[in-house]
Amino acid sequence: MAARKITNEGFVDEFLTRHEQMSDRPFCWVLGSGASVQSGIPTGSVLVEQWLKELHRLEDFSRSTIEQWATADVLEIPGFEYARAANFYPWVYHRRFRDYKEQGYAFLEKAMEKAEPSFGYSVLAQIMTHTQHKTAITTNFDNLIADALSIYTKTFPLVCGHESLTGYIRANLRRPLVAKIHRDLLLAPLSNPDEIAKLPGEWAAALKKILDRFTPIVIGYGGNDGSLMGFLRDLEPIEGGIFWCYRGEGEVEPNVQDIVEKHKGRLVPILGFDELMLQLQEKLELPILLPQLQSTHDARVANYRKQFETLNASLEKLSETPLAEEVREPVRKAAAAAFERLTTEKDWWAWQLKAYAEPDPDMKEEIFRRGLEEFPKSAQLTGEFAIFMMDVRRDYDEAERLYRRALELDPINAVATGNLAFFMWEARKNYDQAERLFREALQLSPNNVAVLENFAEFLGSRNRIVEGRSVALRAALLLDNIPTRNHAYVAFICWLFDRALGMDGSAALGRLRTVLETGFERSPYAVTFDQSLQTLVPQIPEEERALAQKLADAILDETKVGVLESEPLWKKVKPIPLTTPWPNDFN
């Protein structure tokens, strides 16, 4: 009886049915080189063709055609047929690199160095992270699965790239598993016939443990090695069968049909890996990742720039001792060289850095204007100039024009939207429009700490304390463990809200003490807490009102931190490390 086929659509329906009704019998993914084609990695057949051409050029002195030259006798590969060359991948690899294994490793590394996970891997990453189908078995050496999990879900899998690591494999794992049965690319990958003729005993035991619980879905694997095929051939029939996906226009090799028939599985014709994953994405109603990817990219770029700016600003300060100054000097030179390279590369950010570094307001304005002449369509530089014109020049008409121009240049930019909201609140006192813009910014980027922080302060100034506290706590829970002015602002506003509501406030105040004692880069602009202090301070206990003003001053001006030590209440505050989780009522 021949192996049975089911339609592509029927398989997708079957996947959903089992996904919903049989959570105790999840699927696992078995991926071969065909799943990596759309990620830019050559298939086994392409590599075989390349190696045969190289061998032909190296060894054929008679100058016959490659078809005439590439025979079983010449290649020393029993049963070799040029028309079926792809089926002899391990033997051709061995023939090409048998005298120098390191050259083979180097070739494979080069072939895979520019590979990027294709669309299908983004879907696979979501499925492996958010469903019970968390396990992937692969004959591939590449890191596409692990890279996709990191890029698209920020999940780090257990990657077993060597048989010595199989002891860490369990049937029930909390996080995704990638089992690389032919080893990782950097761990002496197995390609020679004798290496992949039989599955190592460690892998056989681990795969049996997996397949006792999981139903395999095979994609892009041609069955041209003895290891996995031999294991499947000897394995008792898998409960739930096996789904073997193959390109619909291709032929299914007899050995594959035998495996599928033995395990009472099904052959599934598909267009390709990405196409099948697209169908599963829609069937499982997984989210489209574009907004998340853009937000992550923007945040990463912004963090990189912020860290570079903070590092440069910290290096400008004189050290406390001559020895420390001596150590700092070569770092300053490196920073200056990096700054010069950035300027040479003609980036809008270079103009922003120049403006930040210039202490004279007239020269600073001139730098901004020259930068915008060179980069008139930079929403970021336009927005920074708007802040300067608002906070330093107090030219509100010019500032508003620039804020609106920045938003016009990048209409879906949450920062630009939030900055205009801040302007409408602080400068124009147009509270309705400010709130509308704040909410628009948070729709664009719900986890933007700066927007959440400003919106919380706005709500506090409008005496909407409960709502403001909720927004501030959202911001607090998004902060990392590295002290910044955002940490200081959020902790301070949380403390004000807590005390205005008659709550303890020590969780926020302890973190604020840690941030102030550690130090952070202050804003280069004339930021104030005036409006929120005016509304909230009268509602906190009278004996804490002086402390509130001194805290605000210390957050905005580093020289005012020492003044806090004259406050008896501040002396009693114990620092709380930023690594300490917030109390339960903050969640």
Side-chain angles (χ1 to χ4, degrees):
M1 179 178 177
R4 296 175 60 185
K5 294 183 180 180
I6 59 172
T7 65
N8 181 287
E9 296 85 350
F11 164 71
V12 174
D13 289 341
E14 181 72 3
F15 183 96
L16 181 64
T17 299
R18 296 199 191 186
H19 168 75
E20 293 178 340
Q21 298 177 7
M22 300 180 67
S23 59
D24 61 328
R25 183 71 195 180
F27 291 104
C28 70
W29 312 91
V30 181
L31 303 186
S33 64
S36 302
V37 177
Q38 290 154 303
S39 298
I41 296 179
T43 62
S45 62
V46 170
L47 293 178
V48 165
E49 185 68 22
Q50 179 176 341
W51 296 330
L52 288 175
K53 287 179 179 178
E54 291 172 356
L55 287 168
H56 182 228
R57 285 195 299 271
L58 286 167
E59 301 179 8
D60 181 24
F61 290 95
S62 65
R63 295 293 181 255
S64 56
T65 66
I66 190 171
E67 291 85 352
Q68 295 170 331
W69 174 83
T71 64
D73 290 339
V74 169
L75 294 173
E76 304 170 45
I77 300 175
F80 178 86
E81 297 175 14
Y82 184 77
R84 299 174 53 245
N87 293 350
F88 295 86
Y89 172 95
W91 292 270
V92 177
Y93 173 87
H94 172 67
R95 181 67 168 76
R96 176 66 180 89
F97 301 112
R98 65 185 175 185
D99 296 323
Y100 191 25
K101 292 181 72 171
E102 287 295 329
Q103 185 182 1
Y105 299 155
F107 177 93
L108 294 172
E109 289 176 24
K110 186 70 175 177
M112 299 177 190
E113 68 179 1
K114 295 183 179 179
E116 285 286 330
S118 65
F119 172 83
Y121 280 98
S122 73
V123 179
L124 179 63
Q126 291 185 75
I127 294 174
M128 290 181 67
T129 298
H130 302 301
T131 74
Q132 65 269 35
H133 319 298
K134 294 185 178 298
T135 297
I137 301 165
T138 179
T139 56
N140 300 338
F141 313 131
D142 60 60
N143 293 313
L144 293 173
I145 302 174
D147 287 349
L149 285 161
S150 176
I151 293 169
Y152 297 111
T153 69
K154 297 183 180 179
T155 300
F156 296 97
L158 170 61
V159 179
C160 287
H162 194 279
E163 56 271 20
S164 62
L165 300 174
T166 56
Y168 295 98
I169 293 177
R170 301 191 308 276
N172 292 301
L173 287 166
R174 291 188 300 274
R175 60 181 56 248
L177 165 69
V178 183
K180 304 174 87 166
I181 63 173
H182 289 172
R183 297 188 182 172
D184 183 80
L185 180 62
L186 303 180
L187 298 176
L190 306 179
S191 290
N192 290 330
D194 58 335
E195 295 174 332
I196 61 175
K198 183 174 176 59
L199 201 65
E202 300 94 331
W203 273 122
L207 295 193
K208 185 177 186 309
K209 189 185 303 182
I210 291 171
L211 296 181
D212 279 346
R213 179 166 185 258
F214 292 84
T215 296
I217 298 172
V218 182
I219 309 173
Y221 174 57
N224 296 322
D225 67 289
S227 56
L228 182 57
M229 290 299 284
F231 169 78
L232 292 173
R233 190 178 299 113
D234 296 339
L235 187 67
E236 290 296 315
I238 300 170
E239 182 181 344
I242 184 171
F243 292 91
W244 198 295
C245 302
Y246 69 99
R247 286 192 173 270
E249 73 276 9
E251 293 294 325
V252 181
E253 291 291 325
N255 61 338
V256 170
Q257 295 201 41
D258 291 344
I259 294 291
V260 174
E261 182 181 354
K262 171 180 178 172
H263 293 285
K264 299 179 181 179
R266 298 292 184 269
L267 295 168
V268 185
I270 63 172
L271 280 176
F273 174 67
D274 282 7
E275 291 82 357
L276 176 62
M277 287 297 155
L278 174 62
Q279 291 176 278
L280 290 176
Q281 173 185 264
E282 294 309 300
K283 186 62 70 171
L284 295 173
E285 298 182 349
L286 298 175
I288 302 296
L289 295 178
L290 280 176
Q292 174 188 319
L293 289 173
Q294 187 63 55
S295 176
T296 300
H297 170 75
D298 292 345
R300 185 167 289 139
V301 171
N303 286 337
Y304 179 88
R305 286 178 174 142
K306 181 188 293 184
Q307 290 170 17
F308 187 87
E309 293 163 6
T310 301
L311 181 59
N312 274 274
S314 68
L315 290 171
E316 292 174 4
K317 300 176 182 177
L318 291 175
S319 303
E320 295 179 358
T321 66
L323 180 59
E325 186 65 20
E326 183 181 339
V327 173
R328 185 183 291 248
E329 187 55 33
V331 185
R332 283 202 187 104
K333 290 180 180 178
F339 184 88
E340 185 63 30
R341 279 197 296 128
L342 184 64
T343 304
T344 304
E345 290 171 6
K346 302 293 184 183
D347 188 279
W348 67 264
W349 186 37
W351 289 100
Q352 178 178 306
L353 290 177
K354 282 184 179 180
Y356 280 173
E358 175 55 58
D360 180 73
D362 292 336
M363 288 299 299
K364 193 185 292 280
E365 181 175 342
E366 177 62 22
I367 291 169
F368 271 124
R369 293 194 184 280
R370 283 167 49 206
L372 284 176
E373 285 178 6
E374 188 165 346
F375 296 97
K377 294 186 178 180
S378 170
Q380 297 93 334
L381 190 60
T382 303
E384 287 296 321
F385 189 26
I387 295 172
F388 170 80
M389 294 305 291
M390 172 186 169
D391 288 341
V392 178
R393 292 305 202 192
R394 301 291 180 180
D395 185 341
Y396 293 153
D397 291 340
E398 175 72 350
E400 182 170 355
R401 183 189 71 78
L402 289 165
Y403 278 125
R404 294 192 182 280
R405 172 61 177 161
L407 198 54
E408 177 186 316
L409 290 168
D410 192 354
I412 60 171
N413 188 307
V415 174
T417 306
N419 285 346
L420 179 57
F422 189 87
F423 173 82
M424 297 309 294
W425 165 41
E426 283 274 345
R428 296 303 195 201
K429 314 301 183 196
N430 188 334
Y431 303 120
D432 291 341
Q433 188 172 5
E435 181 168 352
R436 178 181 62 79
L437 287 165
F438 274 130
R439 295 192 184 279
E440 283 184 14
L442 289 175
Q443 283 184 336
L444 292 168
S445 182
N447 294 332
N448 189 299
V449 172
V451 175
L452 287 167
E453 164 199 311
N454 287 334
F455 188 35
E457 192 182 348
F458 166 81
L459 292 169
S461 72
R462 304 304 296 154
N463 205 28
R464 292 157 62 180
I465 298 175
V466 173
E467 187 179 359
R469 181 179 187 270
S470 176
V471 174
L473 300 187
R474 280 174 56 191
L477 294 172
L478 291 168
L479 293 169
D480 57 24
N481 302 327
I482 303 173
T484 65
R485 58 177 175 261
N486 285 336
H487 287 77
Y489 294 0
V490 170
F492 179 54
I493 199 69
C494 282
W495 175 71
L496 284 175
F497 283 136
D498 280 356
R499 299 308 290 140
L501 292 168
M503 301 175 70
D504 177 69
S506 60
L509 202 57
R511 285 165 175 78
L512 180 54
R513 174 145 203 158
T514 295
V515 176
L516 288 172
E517 289 182 349
T518 306
F520 57 92
E521 188 64 28
R522 264 67 177 181
S523 171
Y525 301 116
V527 181
T528 72
F529 290 105
D530 290 352
Q531 293 200 52
S532 50
L533 288 174
Q534 184 178 347
T535 303
L536 295 175
V537 167
Q539 301 184 61
I540 70 174
E542 186 174 355
E543 63 273 17
E544 297 177 12
R545 293 174 188 174
L547 174 62
Q549 185 59 60
K550 290 178 181 178
L551 285 171
D553 294 341
I555 291 169
L556 301 176
D557 184 348
E558 188 176 6
T559 65
K560 303 292 179 64
V561 174
V563 177
L564 288 169
E565 295 307 320
S566 63
E567 279 291 323
L569 291 174
W570 182 248
K571 292 180 181 180
K572 298 178 182 179
V573 176
K574 294 182 179 179
I576 298 177
L578 300 184
T579 54
T580 305
W582 287 86
N584 290 335
D585 67 321
F586 280 68
N587 296 324

